[in-house]
């Protein structure tokens, strides 16, 4: 667990390099979702570069596709492609490493970023798995601001109707979106009650804590007859004090001085075993 927590902070430095070189990126959401992606790819999912043509591989869709920088960092660490190439080419002309997930790249199941699409597509993937009598599981990560999209709730209804216990949705509940606090723009409390009323099993976790996430995903795997949502309470900009809980860091490029200061803070987190305070 400690190794994964440290890895998550090391990959935040990769994200910093990526964004600062390209001059663009969604750093706040990248940092809030990093432990979620790390735990999924290194503890939970049956997926690797060698399994991409395996019909029984687990499926993942990053519905909040604007956090692609963290996704690239995790996929590179998993061995799907080289992180230095990503840093050099991210958001460059004719680069495949564009600012939202691109399924022309190995390891990416679906182009995403048009918010509200990830969960409905994953419902289809999970239903196909049931119809084909396959054992794979399907995961998607959504932002809490994304839940204002009506298509999300159509997917929620369908998943419950078809009893898709092979489906696990994660809400990155950092409570901020590009235009401010989520609760002021379109409030979602109580999310657990909302999902439960649609027939979902609800688990709450500290989304920036690997052991908490590990327990949540383990509980999701044990559920029968209903899909599970993990409401992952996170900190936007987690790991860098001047970025944390600041809506202005939803989409902003650090200055050279901010980049250096952020790296120093992340290095301290790595030495401390990967703890976001």
């Amino acid at each position: 667990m400690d190794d994964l927590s440290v890895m998550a902070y090391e990959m935040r430095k990769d994200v910093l390099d990526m964004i600062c070189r390209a001059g663009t990126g969604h750093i706040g959401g990248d940092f809030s979702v990093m432990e979620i992606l790390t735990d999924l790819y290194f503890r939970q999912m049956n997926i690797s570069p060698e399994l991409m043509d395996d019909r029984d591989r687990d499926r993942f869709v990053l519905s909040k596709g604007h956090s692609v920088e963290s996704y690239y960092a995790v996929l590179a660490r998993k061995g799907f492609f080289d992180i230095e190439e990503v840093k050099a080419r991210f958001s460059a002309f004719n680069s495949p490493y564009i600012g939202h997930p691109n399924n022309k790249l190995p390891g990416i199941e679906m182009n995403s970023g048009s918010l509200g699409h990830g969960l409905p597509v994953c419902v289809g993937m999970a239903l196909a798995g049931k119809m084909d009598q396959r054992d794979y599981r399907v995961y998607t990560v959504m932002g809490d601001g994304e839940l204002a999209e009506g298509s999300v709730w159509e997917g929620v209804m369908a998943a419950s109707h078809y009893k898709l216990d092979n489906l696990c949705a994660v809400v990155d509940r950092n409570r901020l979106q590009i235009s401010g606090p989520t609760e002021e723009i379109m409030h979602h409390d109580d999310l657990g009650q909302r999902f439960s009323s649609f027939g979902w099993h609800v688990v709450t976790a500290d989304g920036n804590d690997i052991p908490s996430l590990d327990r949540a995903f383990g509980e999701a795997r044990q559920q029968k007859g209903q899909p599970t949502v993990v409401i992952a309470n996170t900190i936007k900009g987690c790991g860098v004090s001047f970025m944390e809980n600041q809506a202005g860091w939803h989409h902003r490029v650090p200055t050279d001085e901010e980049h250096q200061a952020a790296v120093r803070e992340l290095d301290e987190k790595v030495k401390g075993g990967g703890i976001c305070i």
Side-chain angles (χ1 to χ4, degrees):
M1 295 295 185
D2 288 345
D3 289 346
L4 288 187
S5 297
V6 168
M7 183 193 299
Y9 281 91
E10 291 174 340
M11 289 189 293
R12 283 180 170 90
K13 292 195 291 182
D14 291 332
V15 168
L16 269 171
D17 290 345
M18 209 181 299
I19 289 174
C20 288
R21 287 194 198 185
T24 186
H26 292 81
I27 199 165
D30 283 323
F31 283 10
S32 67
V33 80
M34 186 61 83
E35 279 79 14
I36 298 170
L37 297 181
T38 301
D39 196 60
L40 282 172
Y41 272 88
F42 291 93
R43 288 278 295 176
Q44 305 303 325
M45 295 195 301
N46 176 37
I47 191 64
S48 69
E50 295 74 30
L51 293 176
M52 282 314 300
D53 293 325
D54 189 334
R55 293 181 65 190
D56 291 318
R57 72 188 184 280
D58 289 338
R59 272 70 165 169
F60 174 78
V61 173
L62 182 64
S63 190
K64 50 169 291 184
H66 54 277
S67 291
V68 71
E69 298 89 3
S70 56
Y71 193 22
Y72 287 158
V74 170
L75 287 172
R77 187 66 66 107
K78 189 72 176 178
F80 285 94
F81 33 75
D82 179 69
I83 189 60
E84 295 306 321
E85 181 184 3
V86 180
K87 291 178 184 180
R89 301 184 64 195
F90 175 60
S91 282
F93 181 66
N94 276 341
S95 170
Y97 305 106
I98 56 178
H100 287 81
N102 168 22
N103 66 3
K104 297 296 190 294
L105 289 170
I108 296 179
E109 300 279 355
M110 168 190 166
N111 292 359
S112 61
S114 296
L115 298 178
H117 292 182
L119 179 62
V121 169
C122 285
V123 168
M125 291 178 175
L127 183 57
K130 290 289 188 182
M131 294 172 69
D132 291 342
Q133 298 183 330
R134 296 284 172 178
D135 292 329
Y136 66 75
R137 292 184 60 76
V138 182
Y139 296 86
T140 185
V141 174
M142 302 177 286
D144 53 0
E146 180 177 2
L147 301 185
E149 297 284 355
S151 52
V152 170
W153 299 100
E154 294 179 48
V156 167
M157 286 190 290
S160 174
H161 176 78
Y162 290 109
K163 299 179 171 57
L164 299 181
D165 50 18
N166 57 345
L167 173 65
C168 180
V170 184
V171 177
D172 179 12
R173 188 75 164 115
N174 61 36
R175 295 180 175 271
L176 289 171
Q177 55 196 90
I178 191 168
S179 47
T182 303
E183 295 309 293
E184 294 180 8
I185 295 163
M186 186 64 69
H187 74 86
H188 296 304
D189 282 330
D190 178 349
L191 265 186
Q193 186 177 15
R194 290 189 184 190
F195 274 94
S196 180
S197 71
F198 279 95
W200 283 56
H201 179 69
V202 179
V203 186
T204 301
D206 180 341
N208 295 126
D209 180 76
I210 296 290
S212 181
L213 288 165
D214 209 51
R215 289 190 293 271
F217 289 128
E219 183 175 331
R221 192 174 288 106
Q222 298 304 313
Q223 294 306 306
K224 302 300 178 186
Q226 62 182 157
T228 295
V229 61
V230 176
I231 299 174
N233 294 303
T234 63
I235 298 172
K236 193 148 191 166
C238 177
V240 177
S241 60
F242 56 86
M243 296 181 186
E244 291 183 353
N245 290 317
Q246 300 296 318
W249 281 100
H250 179 90
H251 186 278
R252 182 184 156 189
V253 179
T255 64
D256 290 343
E257 293 77 12
E258 288 169 336
H259 186 182
Q260 294 168 15
V263 169
R264 286 194 296 269
E265 288 198 32
L266 293 172
D267 282 339
E268 286 300 315
K269 295 292 194 310
V270 168
K271 291 177 185 177
I275 300 174
C276 185
I277 299 175

